Amino acid sequence: MIIKMTETATEEMIENVVSKVKEAGLESSISNGEHVVVGLIGNQKAMEKINWSELPGVQETQEIKKSYKLTSREFHPENTVIEIGNLKIGDGSMTMMAGPCSIEGLEQIMECARIAKEGGATVLRGGAFKPRTSPYAFQGLEEEGLKYIREAADAYDMKVITEVMDEANLELVAKYSDILQIGARNMQNFKLLQAVGKTGMPVALKRGISGTIDEWLNAAEYIVTQGNFNVMFVERGIRTYETATRNTLDLSAVPVMKTLTHFPIIVDPSHGVGIREIVPPMAVAGVASGADGLIVEIHPEPEKAWSDGAQSLDEALYANMMKKVHIMEKAMKEINQVD
Amino acid sequence: MIIKMTETATEEMIENVVSKVKEAGLESSISNGEHVVVGLIGNQKAMEKINWSELPGVQETQEIKKSYKLTSREFHPENTVIEIGNLKIGDGSMTMMAGPCSIEGLEQIMECARIAKEGGATVLRGGAFKPRTSPYAFQGLEEEGLKYIREAADAYDMKVITEVMDEANLELVAKYSDILQIGARNMQNFKLLQAVGKTGMPVALKRGISGTIDEWLNAAEYIVTQGNFNVMFVERGIRTYETATRNTLDLSAVPVMKTLTHFPIIVDPSHGVGIREIVPPMAVAGVASGADGLIVEIHPEPEKAWSDGAQSLDEALYANMMKKVHIMEKAMKEINQVD
Amino acid sequence: MIIKMTETATEEMIENVVSKVKEAGLESSISNGEHVVVGLIGNQKAMEKINWSELPGVQETQEIKKSYKLTSREFHPENTVIEIGNLKIGDGSMTMMAGPCSIEGLEQIMECARIAKEGGATVLRGGAFKPRTSPYAFQGLEEEGLKYIREAADAYDMKVITEVMDEANLELVAKYSDILQIGARNMQNFKLLQAVGKTGMPVALKRGISGTIDEWLNAAEYIVTQGNFNVMFVERGIRTYETATRNTLDLSAVPVMKTLTHFPIIVDPSHGVGIREIVPPMAVAGVASGADGLIVEIHPEPEKAWSDGAQSLDEALYANMMKKVHIMEKAMKEINQVD
Amino acid sequence: MIIKMTETATEEMIENVVSKVKEAGLESSISNGEHVVVGLIGNQKAMEKINWSELPGVQETQEIKKSYKLTSREFHPENTVIEIGNLKIGDGSMTMMAGPCSIEGLEQIMECARIAKEGGATVLRGGAFKPRTSPYAFQGLEEEGLKYIREAADAYDMKVITEVMDEANLELVAKYSDILQIGARNMQNFKLLQAVGKTGMPVALKRGISGTIDEWLNAAEYIVTQGNFNVMFVERGIRTYETATRNTLDLSAVPVMKTLTHFPIIVDPSHGVGIREIVPPMAVAGVASGADGLIVEIHPEPEKAWSDGAQSLDEALYANMMKKVHIMEKAMKEINQVD
């Protein structure tokens, strides 16, 4: 349920509502737009006991009809901005994340960090626990890798995003990273979603290999109902009949998600297309679709990469792409002012 | 087979090759880039009779391995530019096509032409023969509709693009239009492809409902082998499991096609997503993906449209979108100069 | 609209209704089950002018809500049986169709006919006009091929099913065949559907490469609204992400279609899976799903076939499969008596 | 690597090979067919140290090329039979599993067990931990539910199959069940696969929502490499564009899997189609496709089911279906003797 305040509602009136919410044993989330909207979190019956409409400054209350509630834009009409130190995701700027598929060693991740940073990235990606189709494929350096990526990110004043594959290693991954990535194969691993929800840490929830928009939003709800409002979505392509690309990057998911949820959305063109040469144009198009950020795979020597070499950009290609991305960022600022 | 000339080959040397081609009973297509490339059209055995490599100025000959040959970029390394009067498609500019799903009457199509033109469109779209899932649905005004769209386009100095559904009506449709559209359901109607190939007129070949990139290129080959090099592709979304949008607009098809073929590619965000509010961001992203043009559905009163109302833009939304599209065009010019 | 007669309605009462229908300028179709159902064909307004419920023996009238009407089981609750000479399709027996992908010569098709017939097939398949992805692939022997298949079928007292790809060759194909096949790529070639509808000949409508059940039924309606009630459906697999098989054979389409339409449905395991060894088990499963028939590709020497060799059965494999199919037919008769 | 013995190899020779395997620090798996095949499990380098071909009775050794090795039929040419007490799965008989989607109470599951058993089922299914799209949906009775299903199964002398969703509850689920089910959403939850692998218990691995055949086999390899050869596959339909059914049941997966792996495969028509009336024909077709068993959802009062009511069979429908299934079982025995 949400409580929509009148346009003229005072600070005091809002505080009054919030304190009533607390008294009722519920929690609240504030969205500051033209109208302040107070979202109610907790037991439905407790919500219904109070006649909220009678409180001063309240315009109306509204049930959220969708199966996902706290994740929906109705619950929080304004964009949610995730803050990680001085980094803000979802505030209208473009957050750039880059790094290798797998962390292969300290030197490699250090070099990746340097390249990533020079191109303008503020978040370093890299996998230490790798979900691989075959049990015989390289499964990641695990804690050793986590230490390396932390060291590299710190050296270049970057944040770390890395995948957590199971609850057993959650504490370990959380210790070394700033953003917990939930991989596509785990989008509906509900127990893991609840576990990362409990950490309160920023979570990047990748779209499932054939996840629907609706399932994706409901998956986020598993995180958010644990009190964790630091969720970002990552569109990484969906599985279709087309084999010309690794997946089909669904950029229309960006504007569609923007209408349905208040959380930021990041585009991953690397997994989206899986072909090095096609990554830059899709990164550019991703920015143009309205994404809050990009996440791309880079490698100092893609041809020697232990995984995903075919879709990794080398330094030159990445630097070139980033010039285009920056031009696009400026264009989008202009576009966002058209009305 | 292609003949690649040396960088220093003279005009005379090229003419010599071309005349030898003619002598052999073959036709040729010239692509003027750093190297001139002469593409050979016709009987494979006739091609093999001559030792092309010995001719002055010839660097090498090359077989085209792909199943589609004349359509492949190997055959014609430079972009093909389609000229329709003063309109050029594929020359680096963005061609804007707009109009209603169905032509409903003279007044409606006139009003659409005015709106389209004011926003910057140079091509007027509108269906007079409508492929409809149900035989009981409105099937189009047929010749009456064709007359109306021609009149409207002429009044606003625009070109006409309209669908031809069968060979029987091809002459009729050709009489009133500038670009023959082959609909998604007919992408592999090979007899129709050959028939429009024979007209020599510009053809807009929509991607099939679940057409692969490879099938699409081969479908074009049916047109081109009739001697018609005026082909443009239209990405209009593919069928996937996702139901949040009408189709899944595959923007990655744009850069992928650009590497595989020399023909222009247009993006249709209207059919691609099927939701009015999502059309403008995907039009903008379509330009950013590197498309040569856009085709969108507009209607003076979308809520009263006889078909596809849910995805048609009204005047205000279209005008607003076009402002954004124009900003994006400028950005793309800048991006295309990055190297 | 349908008119449902009472269980006790006499022959006379039914005839009275039918003659009133004729008087109203409409046509009728009779379904003889527990209740006789008279389906009305023609102008909706003409139907509404008469108060059918007042006629003796009429229990009720009912609008058909689905977009396809004459094709729906509501319109004709009993199974439609298609009769071609002494062959009946849809009467509870299993119709077996077999033959090569392409007709390659008289000898080849004769040999196929012999093999097919010995295994129990009564219909000979074979393509004379072949829809091929590439224009450079073998396109069929055309009229020559049609003559050969007719000759072979006559020699073995079989019926001919062959594909018609366009209106221009319809008369020609019709002349030599008993069942006109509409290929998957033409499922929504609405002009062609109407044209085969007008012939009144039996039509086998293949499911589109990614045709939905609903589109398929509506496509049939294009045929039936031309007065042609001799339609059979062919499930031939749909396009999915899975590449282990050529297509994904959707056997659930059989019972689903049986609830929605009165027309017979045939299963094509050859195109459905595209792997020789997997064809027999899926043929057997196809019978078990409740299909009215099977259509399979055979070839005297599959490794030399001009097309689809990988999915064609040789004589031994076909004969072996047919033994299993016959066991399954018996089992299905027993199963159909369970209540 | 596999060691293929000669047809005439003696018991002693085989034992000799097995003891050499042990000496090399490896494990072995025996497949008794025309030729005995000894599969080697463990370190690749250790395998290569010994010149196996020189041992008496050895015909040849062979590398397994596929990414999944122990799961492949090359590794174990004969069918693997899983034994659970007196129940054998994969021995040519048909194993019937039935029960509710969710365990709702002792009375409900007792009633389900009675119905299931009377129809011929030997395994009782029922979920105590339910993966649900929305966090607000019923998530299962957890341990209480496990106790109920165990009690019901024991009362009717049945085995229990139930889903385990995470490692944290694995011990608990294992305590009450005979077969651990890995749900479709967890097909590539590799940590969970390894964990159930370690238990050594029978595991039913459902195909992922859009899992490819290849991914599915590799997922099993995660279980088998833990030393657990008690794996069965469950085909439960895949996600496609078609919405007429809940999923598209891919029965061709049954014969395809049979050629690729030695483990049994079960068909789940309930999730495969999601429509009560379509479950029985697809169960029958599932048997005909060559499956080793069926798993279906039943409920004493489907319309009151807490989950999946629309696809659950009531007692009458289930009993009726089972009569057909039993006829089909007999037919398949006959079919399997055709050669």
Side-chain angles (χ1 to χ4, degrees):
Chain A
M1 182 191 278
I2 57 161
I3 299 171
K4 193 174 175 185
M5 306 300 292
T6 59
E7 273 185 69
T8 57
T10 62
E11 219 32 58
E12 212 175 23
M13 289 169 180
I14 297 165
E15 273 165 32
N16 179 44
V17 168
V18 169
S19 75
K20 290 280 177 200
V21 170
K22 217 175 266 176
E23 279 173 38
L26 301 163
E27 279 179 88
S28 59
S29 156
I30 305 285
S31 174
N32 286 302
E34 214 167 301
H35 292 258
V36 165
V37 170
V38 183
L40 268 55
I41 308 167
N43 186 277
Q44 184 65 23
K45 280 190 186 147
M47 290 180 198
E48 289 165 2
K49 273 188 187 150
I50 294 171
N51 192 340
W52 305 97
S53 308
E54 287 189 347
L55 298 181
V58 169
Q59 184 168 315
E60 56 175 347
T61 65
Q62 212 177 289
E63 283 309 311
I64 298 172
K65 295 273 169 59
K66 300 208 170 68
S67 55
Y68 49 92
K69 303 198 182 304
L70 312 182
T71 302
S72 73
R73 197 171 269 284
E74 291 155 86
F75 178 77
H76 191 281
E78 300 300 305
N79 289 336
T80 282
V81 178
I82 299 175
E83 302 195 24
I84 310 172
N86 54 351
L87 174 67
K88 289 181 182 180
I89 303 175
D91 68 340
S93 68
M94 245 276 312
T95 301
M96 192 67 208
M97 311 181 180
C101 176
S102 298
I103 304 160
E104 299 169 9
L106 182 58
E107 204 182 343
Q108 173 243 23
I109 189 73
M110 272 289 184
E111 184 63 357
C112 285
R114 181 189 62 75
I115 296 169
K117 186 64 182 285
E118 283 180 12
T122 50
V123 181
L124 184 62
R125 65 151 287 153
F129 291 93
K130 299 297 308 170
R132 301 302 297 275
T133 300
S134 163
Y136 304 110
F138 174 59
Q139 309 270 320
L141 291 183
E142 307 201 346
E143 186 167 8
E144 192 191 346
L146 293 172
K147 283 179 182 165
Y148 294 156
I149 194 171
R150 184 74 267 166
E151 191 177 334
D154 288 348
Y156 288 93
D157 190 25
M158 297 176 80
K159 308 299 175 199
V160 167
I161 180 171
T162 196
E163 176 161 355
V164 56
M165 281 177 63
D166 62 343
E167 218 176 323
N169 288 301
L170 174 53
E171 209 180 333
L172 184 68
V173 175
K175 187 176 151 193
Y176 293 100
S177 65
D178 301 299
I179 305 173
L180 298 168
Q181 180 183 303
I182 299 294
R185 290 168 190 78
N186 277 323
M187 187 191 86
Q188 291 193 310
N189 183 338
F190 300 120
K191 298 290 184 185
L192 182 59
L193 296 177
Q194 288 172 325
V196 298
K198 278 178 194 136
T199 66
M201 280 180 66
V203 177
L205 179 62
K206 286 202 151 192
R207 186 173 181 179
I209 287 172
S210 65
T212 64
I213 296 279
D214 192 70
E215 289 170 346
W216 200 10
L217 291 160
N218 274 289
E221 192 80 0
Y222 270 93
I223 299 167
V224 184
T225 47
Q226 300 299 322
N228 188 344
F229 277 79
N230 290 308
V231 174
M232 67 196 86
F233 292 95
V234 183
E235 162 62 34
R236 45 76 72 198
I238 58 173
R239 182 163 280 175
T240 70
Y241 67 84
E242 178 59 76
T243 56
T245 43
R246 181 174 174 177
N247 289 294
T248 298
L249 187 64
D250 178 13
L251 286 185
S252 70
V254 177
V256 169
M257 290 291 278
K258 285 283 175 195
T259 67
L260 298 173
T261 181
H262 50 96
F263 290 122
I265 178 160
I266 309 295
V267 166
D268 175 352
S270 303
H271 289 86
V273 299
I275 305 164
R276 187 176 304 129
E277 292 70 22
I278 308 300
V279 171
M282 293 319 283
V284 166
V287 178
S289 74
D292 297 289
L294 295 174
I295 183 164
V296 299
E297 288 187 348
I298 60 173
H299 198 282
E301 298 174 283
E303 64 288 353
K304 294 188 184 164
W306 297 3
S307 56
D308 279 357
Q311 70 196 35
S312 296
L313 307 179
D314 63 15
E315 182 165 3
L317 207 47
Y318 170 71
N320 182 281
M321 178 188 85
M322 289 309 296
K323 284 185 204 163
K324 296 174 181 172
V325 164
H326 294 316
I327 293 169
M328 190 51 63
E329 277 184 74
K330 270 189 299 176
M332 286 306 287
K333 282 210 177 102
E334 206 180 326
I335 280 175
N336 288 332
Q337 274 157 20
V338 172
D339 57 16
Chain B
M1 182 190 279
I2 57 161
I3 300 171
K4 196 176 173 181
M5 307 300 290
T6 60
E7 271 185 72
T8 57
T10 62
E11 223 24 63
E12 212 174 23
M13 290 168 181
I14 298 164
E15 271 165 33
N16 180 42
V17 168
V18 168
S19 73
K20 292 277 178 203
V21 169
K22 218 175 266 177
E23 280 172 36
L26 300 163
E27 280 179 86
S28 59
S29 155
I30 306 285
S31 173
N32 287 302
E34 216 167 298
H35 292 259
V36 165
V37 170
V38 182
L40 269 55
I41 309 168
N43 187 277
Q44 184 66 25
K45 281 189 187 149
M47 291 180 199
E48 290 164 2
K49 274 189 189 151
I50 296 172
N51 191 342
W52 304 99
S53 307
E54 287 187 347
L55 298 182
V58 169
Q59 183 168 314
E60 56 176 346
T61 64
Q62 212 178 286
E63 283 308 312
I64 298 172
K65 296 274 169 57
K66 299 209 171 67
S67 56
Y68 49 92
K69 304 197 182 304
L70 313 183
T71 303
S72 74
R73 197 171 269 284
E74 291 154 87
F75 179 77
H76 192 283
E78 300 301 304
N79 288 335
T80 283
V81 178
I82 299 174
E83 301 193 26
I84 311 172
N86 54 352
L87 174 68
K88 290 180 183 181
I89 303 177
D91 66 343
S93 69
M94 245 276 312
T95 302
M96 191 66 209
M97 309 181 181
C101 177
S102 299
I103 304 160
E104 300 168 7
L106 182 58
E107 201 182 346
Q108 174 245 23
I109 189 72
M110 274 287 185
E111 183 65 357
C112 285
R114 181 190 61 75
I115 296 169
K117 186 64 182 286
E118 283 180 10
T122 51
V123 182
L124 184 63
R125 65 151 287 154
F129 291 93
K130 300 298 306 170
R132 302 301 296 275
T133 300
S134 163
Y136 304 110
F138 173 59
Q139 311 269 322
L141 291 183
E142 308 199 346
E143 187 167 8
E144 190 191 348
L146 292 172
K147 284 179 182 166
Y148 294 156
I149 193 170
R150 185 74 267 167
E151 189 177 337
D154 288 347
Y156 288 94
D157 190 24
M158 298 175 80
K159 308 297 175 201
V160 167
I161 179 171
T162 195
E163 177 162 356
V164 56
M165 282 178 63
D166 62 344
E167 219 176 322
N169 289 299
L170 174 53
E171 208 180 334
L172 184 68
V173 175
K175 184 176 153 194
Y176 293 100
S177 65
D178 302 298
I179 306 173
L180 298 168
Q181 181 182 301
I182 299 293
R185 289 168 191 78
N186 277 324
M187 186 191 85
Q188 292 193 309
N189 182 339
F190 301 121
K191 299 289 185 185
L192 182 59
L193 296 177
Q194 288 172 324
V196 297
K198 278 175 195 137
T199 66
M201 281 180 65
V203 177
L205 178 62
K206 288 202 148 190
R207 186 174 183 178
I209 288 172
S210 65
T212 64
I213 296 279
D214 192 70
E215 289 170 346
W216 199 9
L217 290 160
N218 274 289
E221 193 79 0
Y222 272 92
I223 299 168
V224 184
T225 47
Q226 300 299 323
N228 187 343
F229 277 78
N230 291 307
V231 174
M232 67 197 86
F233 292 95
V234 183
E235 161 62 34
R236 46 74 75 197
I238 57 173
R239 182 164 279 177
T240 70
Y241 67 83
E242 178 62 75
T243 55
T245 43
R246 180 172 174 179
N247 290 293
T248 297
L249 187 65
D250 178 12
L251 286 186
S252 69
V254 177
V256 168
M257 291 290 279
K258 285 282 175 195
T259 68
L260 299 173
T261 183
H262 50 95
F263 289 122
I265 178 160
I266 310 295
V267 167
D268 175 351
S270 303
H271 289 86
V273 299
I275 305 165
R276 187 177 303 130
E277 291 71 21
I278 309 301
V279 171
M282 294 318 285
V284 165
V287 177
S289 73
D292 296 290
L294 295 175
I295 183 164
V296 299
E297 287 187 349
I298 60 173
H299 198 282
E301 297 173 284
E303 64 288 352
K304 293 188 185 164
W306 296 3
S307 56
D308 280 356
Q311 70 196 34
S312 296
L313 307 179
D314 63 16
E315 180 165 5
L317 207 47
Y318 170 71
N320 181 283
M321 180 189 84
M322 289 310 295
K323 285 186 203 164
K324 297 175 181 173
V325 164
H326 294 317
I327 293 169
M328 190 52 61
E329 278 184 73
K330 271 189 299 176
M332 286 306 288
K333 279 202 182 114
E334 205 180 328
I335 279 175
N336 288 333
Q337 276 156 18
V338 171
D339 57 18
Chain C
M1 182 190 279
I2 56 161
I3 299 171
K4 195 174 174 182
M5 307 299 291
T6 60
E7 274 185 69
T8 56
T10 62
E11 222 27 62
E12 212 174 24
M13 290 169 181
I14 296 164
E15 273 166 31
N16 180 42
V17 167
V18 169
S19 74
K20 291 278 176 200
V21 169
K22 217 176 266 176
E23 281 173 37
L26 300 164
E27 281 179 86
S28 59
S29 155
I30 305 284
S31 174
N32 287 302
E34 214 167 298
H35 292 259
V36 165
V37 170
V38 183
L40 269 54
I41 307 168
N43 186 278
Q44 184 65 25
K45 280 190 187 149
M47 290 180 197
E48 289 165 2
K49 274 189 187 150
I50 294 172
N51 193 341
W52 305 98
S53 309
E54 286 188 346
L55 298 181
V58 169
Q59 184 168 315
E60 56 175 347
T61 65
Q62 214 178 286
E63 284 308 312
I64 298 172
K65 295 275 169 58
K66 299 210 172 66
S67 55
Y68 47 91
K69 304 197 182 303
L70 312 183
T71 303
S72 74
R73 196 170 270 285
E74 290 155 88
F75 179 78
H76 191 282
E78 299 301 305
N79 289 335
T80 282
V81 178
I82 299 174
E83 302 195 24
I84 310 173
N86 55 351
L87 174 67
K88 289 181 183 180
I89 303 176
D91 67 341
S93 68
M94 244 278 309
T95 301
M96 192 64 208
M97 309 181 182
C101 177
S102 298
I103 304 160
E104 300 168 9
L106 182 59
E107 202 182 344
Q108 173 243 27
I109 190 73
M110 274 288 185
E111 183 64 357
C112 285
R114 181 191 61 76
I115 296 169
K117 185 65 183 285
E118 282 180 13
T122 50
V123 181
L124 183 62
R125 64 150 286 152
F129 291 93
K130 300 297 306 171
R132 302 300 297 274
T133 299
S134 164
Y136 305 109
F138 174 59
Q139 310 270 323
L141 292 183
E142 308 201 345
E143 186 166 10
E144 191 191 347
L146 292 173
K147 284 179 182 165
Y148 293 156
I149 194 171
R150 183 75 267 167
E151 189 176 336
D154 288 347
Y156 288 94
D157 191 25
M158 297 175 81
K159 308 299 175 199
V160 167
I161 179 172
T162 195
E163 177 162 355
V164 57
M165 281 177 64
D166 61 343
E167 220 176 323
N169 288 300
L170 174 52
E171 208 180 333
L172 184 68
V173 175
K175 184 175 153 195
Y176 293 100
S177 67
D178 302 298
I179 305 173
L180 298 168
Q181 181 183 302
I182 298 294
R185 290 167 190 79
N186 278 323
M187 186 191 86
Q188 292 193 309
N189 182 339
F190 300 121
K191 299 290 184 183
L192 182 59
L193 297 177
Q194 287 172 326
V196 297
K198 277 175 195 139
T199 66
M201 281 180 65
V203 178
L205 179 62
K206 286 203 149 189
R207 187 175 182 179
I209 288 172
S210 64
T212 65
I213 297 279
D214 191 70
E215 289 169 346
W216 199 11
L217 291 160
N218 274 288
E221 193 80 2
Y222 272 91
I223 300 167
V224 185
T225 47
Q226 300 299 323
N228 187 343
F229 277 78
N230 290 308
V231 174
M232 66 197 86
F233 292 95
V234 183
E235 162 61 34
R236 45 76 74 198
I238 57 172
R239 181 163 280 176
T240 70
Y241 66 85
E242 179 60 78
T243 55
T245 42
R246 179 174 176 177
N247 290 293
T248 298
L249 187 65
D250 178 13
L251 287 185
S252 69
V254 177
V256 169
M257 290 291 280
K258 285 283 175 195
T259 66
L260 298 174
T261 182
H262 50 96
F263 290 121
I265 178 161
I266 310 295
V267 167
D268 175 351
S270 303
H271 289 86
V273 299
I275 305 164
R276 186 177 304 128
E277 293 71 20
I278 308 301
V279 171
M282 294 318 285
V284 166
V287 178
S289 73
D292 297 289
L294 295 175
I295 182 162
V296 299
E297 288 186 349
I298 61 174
H299 197 283
E301 298 172 284
E303 63 288 350
K304 295 188 186 165
W306 296 3
S307 57
D308 280 356
Q311 71 196 33
S312 296
L313 307 179
D314 63 14
E315 180 164 5
L317 206 48
Y318 170 72
N320 181 283
M321 179 189 85
M322 289 310 295
K323 285 187 202 161
K324 297 175 182 173
V325 164
H326 294 317
I327 294 169
M328 190 51 62
E329 278 184 73
K330 270 190 300 177
M332 286 306 288
K333 280 205 180 110
E334 206 180 327
I335 279 175
N336 289 331
Q337 274 155 20
V338 172
D339 58 16
Chain D
M1 183 189 277
I2 57 162
I3 299 171
K4 195 174 172 182
M5 306 300 292
T6 60
E7 272 186 70
T8 58
T10 62
E11 217 33 58
E12 214 174 22
M13 289 168 182
I14 297 164
E15 272 165 33
N16 180 44
V17 167
V18 169
S19 74
K20 291 280 178 201
V21 170
K22 217 176 265 176
E23 279 173 37
L26 300 163
E27 281 180 85
S28 59
S29 156
I30 306 284
S31 174
N32 287 302
E34 217 167 298
H35 292 259
V36 165
V37 170
V38 183
L40 268 54
I41 308 168
N43 186 277
Q44 184 66 22
K45 281 188 188 152
M47 290 179 198
E48 290 165 2
K49 273 187 190 152
I50 295 171
N51 191 339
W52 304 99
S53 307
E54 287 188 345
L55 298 181
V58 169
Q59 181 167 316
E60 57 175 346
T61 65
Q62 211 178 290
E63 283 307 313
I64 298 171
K65 294 274 168 60
K66 297 210 172 67
S67 56
Y68 48 92
K69 303 198 182 303
L70 313 182
T71 303
S72 74
R73 195 170 271 284
E74 290 155 87
F75 179 78
H76 192 281
E78 299 301 305
N79 289 335
T80 282
V81 179
I82 300 174
E83 301 195 26
I84 310 172
N86 55 351
L87 175 67
K88 290 180 182 180
I89 303 176
D91 67 340
S93 68
M94 245 276 310
T95 302
M96 192 65 209
M97 311 181 181
C101 176
S102 300
I103 304 160
E104 299 168 8
L106 182 57
E107 202 182 344
Q108 174 244 24
I109 189 72
M110 274 289 185
E111 183 64 358
C112 285
R114 180 189 62 75
I115 296 169
K117 187 64 183 285
E118 283 180 11
T122 51
V123 181
L124 184 62
R125 64 151 289 156
F129 292 92
K130 299 298 304 171
R132 302 300 296 275
T133 299
S134 163
Y136 304 110
F138 174 60
Q139 309 271 322
L141 291 183
E142 308 201 347
E143 186 166 6
E144 192 191 346
L146 292 172
K147 284 180 182 164
Y148 294 156
I149 194 171
R150 184 74 267 167
E151 191 177 335
D154 288 347
Y156 288 93
D157 190 25
M158 297 174 82
K159 309 298 176 199
V160 167
I161 180 172
T162 195
E163 176 162 356
V164 56
M165 281 178 64
D166 62 344
E167 218 177 322
N169 288 301
L170 173 53
E171 208 181 333
L172 184 68
V173 175
K175 185 176 153 194
Y176 293 101
S177 65
D178 302 299
I179 305 172
L180 298 168
Q181 180 183 303
I182 299 292
R185 290 167 191 78
N186 278 323
M187 186 191 85
Q188 291 193 310
N189 182 339
F190 301 120
K191 300 289 184 184
L192 182 60
L193 296 177
Q194 288 172 324
V196 297
K198 278 177 194 135
T199 66
M201 282 180 64
V203 177
L205 178 62
K206 288 202 149 189
R207 186 174 184 180
I209 288 172
S210 65
T212 64
I213 296 279
D214 192 71
E215 289 171 345
W216 200 10
L217 290 160
N218 274 289
E221 193 80 1
Y222 271 92
I223 299 168
V224 185
T225 47
Q226 300 300 321
N228 187 344
F229 278 77
N230 290 307
V231 174
M232 66 197 85
F233 293 95
V234 183
E235 162 61 35
R236 43 76 74 196
I238 58 173
R239 181 164 281 176
T240 70
Y241 68 83
E242 178 60 78
T243 55
T245 43
R246 181 174 173 176
N247 290 293
T248 297
L249 187 65
D250 178 12
L251 287 185
S252 70
V254 176
V256 169
M257 291 291 279
K258 284 283 175 196
T259 67
L260 298 173
T261 183
H262 51 95
F263 290 120
I265 179 160
I266 310 294
V267 167
D268 174 353
S270 303
H271 289 86
V273 298
I275 305 164
R276 186 175 306 129
E277 291 71 21
I278 308 300
V279 172
M282 293 318 285
V284 166
V287 178
S289 72
D292 297 290
L294 295 174
I295 182 164
V296 299
E297 287 187 349
I298 61 173
H299 197 283
E301 296 173 284
E303 64 289 350
K304 293 189 186 166
W306 297 3
S307 55
D308 279 356
Q311 71 195 35
S312 296
L313 307 179
D314 64 15
E315 182 164 4
L317 207 47
Y318 171 72
N320 181 282
M321 179 188 84
M322 289 310 295
K323 284 186 204 163
K324 297 174 181 175
V325 165
H326 295 316
I327 294 168
M328 190 51 61
E329 277 184 74
K330 270 189 299 176
M332 285 306 288
K333 283 211 178 101
E334 206 180 327
I335 279 175
N336 289 331
Q337 276 157 17
V338 172
D339 55 19

